[in-house]
Amino acid sequence: MEEENEKLIKKSELYEKSAMRSFMLFSDRMKLADMVLASSKLLYVFPRFGIKLGFGDKLVRDVCKEYGLSLPLFLVVCNVYASENYLPDAASLHSFGVGDLLVYLHTSHIDYQTTRIPELQNKVMSVVSSCGLKGGVLRRFFDEYINEVVNHFDYEEKTVFPYIEKLQVEGRQKDFNIRMFEKNHTDIEEKLTELKNILIKYVPEISLGAQRDALRELFLFEDDLNRHSLIENHILVPIVTELEKVRK
């Protein structure tokens, strides 16, 4: 009897979790400013769509129209960043084109390398410069981590994205498919965990403010990158998988 109850509880939990994952927090009738007030994480997302602050009381749909953006894609990405449980359903995945998604991902890579990584680097280097020999270890781990992130972006820009663009025109290629990308999708979380552990456990407290700022930025960057990967794994890969079936 207890086993049956446990199964029912687990089934209920799975159903509830599944229902939550397709629920959208934002809609096209909301004010863009209200979205930011609901989730400050969107301050990292808007620049990747080219949206600048100062939009007043404009509605989401009006801003998307003004910037020439795919409204469904914009809402999906914003909901991914703002909600811990959200994943788009099948209908949402068919509401925008893969080309729009590739533009967003490409712009995101540029933003990471020109803005987010330099911001993180400034915070970490402020700690490195003040903690002697242990600062060298911290710097080495940080450089290795950033190299892995950049190499990951480089692989996508030079291999994955061109494959998808060619797939739309010429059909499926024999030497590559999107599942190869999914299988080889670089796991860079372990290196970041080591980096955080060094800051927390082994770097002496020379400047609490600097260490706290560096750790806060590392956690924010980790969350940002995890959601970026979620978009690639759970949105890009399923869309391209369907495209491969059609473009055989």
Side-chain angles (χ1 to χ4, degrees):
M1 186 69 178
E2 288 184 4
E3 289 183 3
E4 290 182 3
N5 287 335
E6 287 181 5
K7 288 180 180 179
L8 287 171
I9 291 172
K10 288 181 179 179
K11 188 175 181 180
S12 176
E13 288 175 346
L14 286 172
Y15 175 80
E16 183 178 348
K17 187 175 182 181
S18 176
M20 288 177 65
R21 289 170 80 86
S22 62
F23 174 75
M24 295 187 80
L25 179 65
F26 303 127
S27 74
D28 65 330
R29 297 174 180 269
M30 290 185 67
K31 293 179 180 178
L32 206 62
D34 289 339
M35 290 174 63
V36 178
L37 291 174
S39 175
S40 61
K41 293 175 183 177
L42 298 184
L43 291 172
Y44 296 120
V45 175
F46 288 180
R48 297 165 190 173
F49 283 102
I51 298 175
K52 299 177 181 178
L53 295 178
F55 31 71
D57 288 326
K58 292 179 181 178
L59 301 181
V60 173
R61 59 186 178 185
D62 295 330
V63 173
C64 285
K65 184 176 181 180
E66 178 183 339
Y67 281 86
L69 302 173
S70 165
L71 176 58
L73 174 62
F74 178 74
L75 286 172
V76 163
V77 171
C78 288
N79 277 281
V80 165
Y81 270 81
S83 174
E84 293 299 321
N85 299 305
Y86 174 78
L87 270 181
D89 55 21
S92 296
L93 293 182
H94 288 92
S95 64
F96 53 83
V98 68
D100 289 326
L101 179 56
L102 290 181
V103 169
Y104 167 76
L105 293 173
H106 172 68
T107 307
S108 297
H109 292 169
I110 294 174
D111 180 63
Y112 279 119
Q113 295 186 71
T114 60
T115 303
R116 297 291 284 122
I117 289 176
E119 288 175 349
L120 177 61
Q121 186 174 32
N122 287 338
K123 300 293 185 183
V124 173
M125 289 305 109
S126 67
V127 177
V128 168
S129 62
S130 61
C131 57
L133 292 176
K134 290 185 178 179
V137 176
L138 176 61
R139 178 162 195 163
R140 177 172 60 82
F141 270 84
F142 178 77
D143 289 344
E144 289 175 357
Y145 171 68
I146 294 303
N147 283 336
E148 287 189 22
V149 172
V150 172
N151 287 338
H152 169 81
F153 293 158
D154 193 55
Y155 169 70
E156 292 177 357
E157 293 287 342
K158 293 182 178 180
T159 302
V160 181
F161 295 174
Y163 162 74
I164 297 171
E165 291 168 349
K166 195 173 182 179
L167 173 67
Q168 296 178 83
V169 178
E170 301 179 10
R172 188 165 179 175
Q173 310 298 307
K174 293 182 179 180
D175 57 344
F176 189 82
N177 63 70
I178 199 63
R179 292 300 174 186
M180 294 169 64
F181 161 66
E182 186 180 33
K183 184 178 180 181
N184 294 307
H185 207 172
T186 309
D187 184 4
I188 50 183
E189 293 180 5
E190 184 177 344
K191 185 69 67 176
L192 181 57
T193 299
E194 293 174 346
L195 188 59
K196 290 187 294 185
N197 277 328
I198 292 173
L199 267 170
I200 295 169
K201 297 179 180 180
Y202 305 114
V203 173
E205 188 180 306
I206 297 172
S207 172
L208 174 60
Q211 285 170 257
R212 186 168 52 202
D213 287 347
L215 276 168
R216 184 187 299 114
E217 195 66 30
L218 280 169
F219 279 107
L220 287 171
F221 187 82
E222 178 182 34
D223 181 75
D224 187 351
L225 207 56
N226 284 343
R227 292 173 195 276
H228 178 81
S229 295
L230 185 150
I231 290 170
E232 292 176 337
N233 290 332
H234 296 283
I235 298 178
L236 179 67
V237 169
I239 289 175
V240 177
T241 299
E242 288 298 316
L243 187 60
E244 286 176 337
K245 293 177 182 178
V246 174
R247 300 290 296 169
K248 283 185 178 180

